[in-house]
Amino acid sequence: ITMAWLLIVAILLLRNAYVYCLDASNIPANRSQIFVVIARYQEPTEHLQWLSGYPHVIYNRGEAFPNTSLVHSIDVLDNVGRESFIYLSYIVHNYFRLSNITIFSQAVQSWDGYGDGHFKRDVEALVDGTIVFSPGNDGFMYLIPACVNVRAPQYIRWFQKRYGHDSAGLLWTGYKDLLGFDIGNPRFTPTALFAVTREAVLRKPRDYYAALARRMASEADSMLGHFFERAWPQVFRSSCSSGQDFKCHYDPAVNCG
């Protein structure tokens, strides 16, 4: 009997220790309203040490990393669906307990001068209210100050040259075939780094995101992942990229017509 009770106590202690590792109660309240989701393959993570002060999770699909300060992490064995599968899966599994704002990013943030230092700055600015969601972007915000017109002829030519002659077809058909509606002038910011509010996510039911995640998991062609990188505003039914002005960034000067 004594050994049995000791075993029960040991199990409870281990369980409580695990829960404590994922608990954000020791993080200031304003920070607990933000949650950061990182999709990692084999990128280094030393530059993300600062995330230990924020509620976050790192979905790791590559080799294990000895980063003990980033305790809020989880391993994912199957490397499918690019970062899009990770983002969608997180939404599906946390649909009823989303934070006020969720920030999604790959493990390395790099685009035309934007790097980890800028990412840290933007996360902190979202926490302290320096960066806010304006009514024009209705709950969706890219963090990198860049804008690309998906169907601009020069971009289509670049896309075909990089990914194959037939690849650009998905940029024309994917919005209607995958997301259920068409958009005449889709624009996006590269690298799939964005913030989205809980209200924006909840515009669509959980089954909607689950169906997209299943499609990503079963899709052998990585082109679907490239499409989703360009379609996140439409995934959340945001109008920030479909009007005359591009309103998907907090800086109104970021535009591409």
Side-chain angles (χ1 to χ4, degrees), residues 12-13 25 36-37 70 72 80 93 95-96 116 123 136-137 143 163 169 171 181 196 203-204 216 242 250-251:
L12 289 175
L13 287 174
S25 61
V36 182
V37 178
L70 294 174
H72 303 184
V80 298
H93 293 300
Y95 185 83
F96 298 106
D116 178 66
V123 172
N137 63 33
L143 297 185
Y163 298 114
L171 301 183
F181 73 106
V196 63
R203 280 196 284 261
K204 298 296 289 183
M216 289 298 304
S242 58
Y250 58 84
D251 183 353

Side-chain angles (χ1 to χ4, degrees), residues 219-239:
E219 182 65 51
D221 187 355
S222 64
M223 286 310 306
L224 195 58
H226 293 301
F227 167 76
F228 270 92
E229 181 183 343
R230 289 149 181 82
W232 284 113
Q234 289 73 47
V235 169
F236 299 112
R237 291 299 191 265
S238 172
S239 61

Side-chain angles (χ1 to χ4, degrees), residues 5-20:
W5 276 108
L6 287 175
L7 181 61
I8 292 173
V9 170
I11 292 174
L12 289 175
L13 287 174
L14 288 172
R15 178 182 180 275
N16 289 338
Y18 174 75
V19 171
Y20 175 77

Side-chain angles (χ1 to χ4, degrees), residues 111-112 114 121-122 142-147 189 249-251 254:
W111 176 264
D112 196 22
Y114 188 100
R121 174 205 64 194
D122 285 348
Y142 282 121
L143 297 185
I144 292 179
C147 177
T189 296
H249 193 269
Y250 58 84
D251 183 353
V254 177

